Amino acid sequence: MHLIVERLHHEWETGTNRFDKPGEALFGAWLDGRLVGGCGLNDCTHTARLTMPPERSRLRVASQGERPMLQLRPSCECCDRDLPPDSTEAVVCSFECTFGRLCADSALGGRCPNCGGKFVPRSRRPAEKLLKFPASAERIFKPQGCSQPG
């Protein structure tokens, strides 16, 4: 890990790679005020064919001292059924597209219609943590309904 961080730092300092092109970013992980990890995201010709809908393209960045966390979206994107933060019926893909287990298993055949990824059960946040880190109120509903990824 140390060598990767050194290389990213060197590329930034020398101007070899400023991660300033569309689709590129430089990330750092901080712990107690120290840089403990990092990674660079570069535009890649192999991923040019992959697209994500605009509602997925927002990058959530945690500032120093904050922890990134699941949004815990409140509903199924397919049928708009409520999925409260403590629901055992909520499933997500790696992009955090959120569906109810019934829609995910039946209408979608276990694959996300947005990215084609598999679903896993969504984690549940302890009630005492929901006070400080509330679940999202943002509903993503696709009125056209569910369709299997193509």
Side-chain angles (χ1 to χ4, degrees):
M1 174 63 120
H2 180 68
L3 294 175
I4 293 170
V5 173
E6 279 185 12
R7 190 189 90 215
L8 291 172
H9 180 262
H10 174 74
E11 288 180 0
W12 176 268
E13 287 294 316
T14 62
T16 305
N17 194 347
R18 290 293 178 141
F19 301 93
D20 57 356
K21 295 180 184 131
E24 296 185 345
L26 180 62
F27 300 94
W30 298 85
L31 180 64
D32 297 327
R34 288 187 15 206
L35 180 65
V36 294
C39 69
L41 175 65
N42 289 95
D43 189 22
C44 177
T45 57
H46 301 293
T47 60
R49 68 184 187 285
L50 300 176
T51 59
M52 289 303 292
E55 66 267 17
R56 303 275 179 246
S57 62
R58 289 190 304 271
L59 177 65
R60 295 188 316 263
V61 178
S63 63
Q64 189 173 350
E66 292 181 341
R67 293 185 173 172
M69 65 194 88
L70 289 175
Q71 288 183 339
L72 301 178
R73 294 182 185 147
S75 61
C76 174
E77 293 184 23
C78 179
C79 68
D80 204 34
R81 186 176 128 224
D82 287 342
L83 295 169
D86 61 349
S87 175
T88 59
E89 294 299 308
V91 296
V92 295
C93 71
S94 66
F95 287 96
E96 204 177 337
C97 304
T98 304
F99 296 92
R101 187 176 306 280
L102 182 63
C103 289
D105 291 344
S106 60
L108 298 174
R111 294 281 182 175
C112 177
N114 302 312
C115 70
K118 291 184 178 183
F119 294 116
V120 296
R122 182 181 71 187
S123 292
R124 292 173 293 175
R125 190 166 300 145
E128 66 274 7
K129 296 294 184 185
L130 280 169
L131 296 173
K132 185 172 181 182
F133 304 103
S136 172
E138 177 186 10
R139 295 179 89 89
I140 297 176
F141 174 55
K142 303 208 171 135
Q144 70 273 21
C146 296
S147 61
Q148 291 192 0

